């Protein structure tokens, strides 16, 4: 089972988590305001396979995780399709604008499993 860490600047992410779990993954939602800046730290603690960050710009948490831990990231995304393409391109840390949508979690998890297996 893959582990996906979800970190939202406003402390949200519960809908994305539902989608991750619907696709057969384990979701870890980082609590609290400014959670996106702790994405990489929680990914390390959880030995996570993928991380999803949300903020206004869609980049801060993903860039911080990449800089601190060397994760391959893509940021500034605004659609589910961009996220699926990023996974197909080999990125494991994804930065989005605010998109707490169940479909996003489900489709990203499915794309990850298709590319890497469970």
């Amino acid at each position: 089972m893959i582990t996906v860490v979800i970190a939202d600047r406003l402390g949200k992410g519960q809908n994305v988590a539902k989608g991750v779990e619907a696709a057969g993954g384990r979701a870890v939602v980082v609590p609290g305001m400014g959670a996106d800046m702790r994405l990489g730290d929680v990914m390390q603690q959880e030995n996570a396979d993928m991380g999803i960050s949300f903020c206004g710009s869609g980049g801060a948490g993903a860039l911080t995780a990449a800089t601190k831990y060397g994760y391959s990231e893509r940021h500034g995304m605004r659609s589910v399709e961009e996220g699926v393409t990023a996974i197909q391109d080999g990125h494991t840390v994804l930065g989005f604008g605010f998109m707490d949508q169940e479909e996003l979690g489900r489709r990203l998890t499915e794309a990850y499993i298709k590319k890497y297996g469970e």
Side-chain angles (χ1 to χ4, degrees):
M1 176 182 293
I2 74 163
T3 299
V4 180
V5 174
I6 302 157
D8 186 289
R9 174 67 53 109
L10 301 177
K12 297 180 182 180
Q14 293 77 13
N15 290 325
V16 174
K18 289 177 191 173
V20 168
E21 291 167 353
R26 180 175 79 94
V28 176
V29 178
V30 182
M33 297 296 285
D36 61 317
M37 299 309 290
R38 298 188 305 276
L39 176 66
D41 297 335
V42 176
M43 286 181 71
Q44 288 288 301
Q45 291 167 1
E46 296 288 336
N47 194 27
D49 301 289
M50 182 170 58
I52 306 170
S53 172
F54 299 99
C55 69
S57 68
L63 288 168
T64 300
T67 300
K68 191 169 182 181
Y69 296 105
Y71 292 112
S72 175
E73 67 84 27
R74 183 169 291 164
H75 64 277
M77 294 182 284
R78 303 275 189 243
S79 73
V80 174
E81 293 305 322
E82 285 181 291
V84 169
T85 299
I87 291 169
Q88 291 168 344
D89 290 345
H91 301 289
T92 55
V93 172
L94 311 173
F96 292 90
F98 294 115
M99 290 179 59
D100 189 13
Q101 302 169 359
E102 190 171 332
E103 178 191 4
L104 180 67
R106 180 181 52 79
R107 297 230 0 244
L108 294 179
T109 303
E110 289 169 351
Y112 187 94
I113 291 169
K114 182 176 180 181
K115 181 166 181 71
Y116 299 104
E118 292 186 60

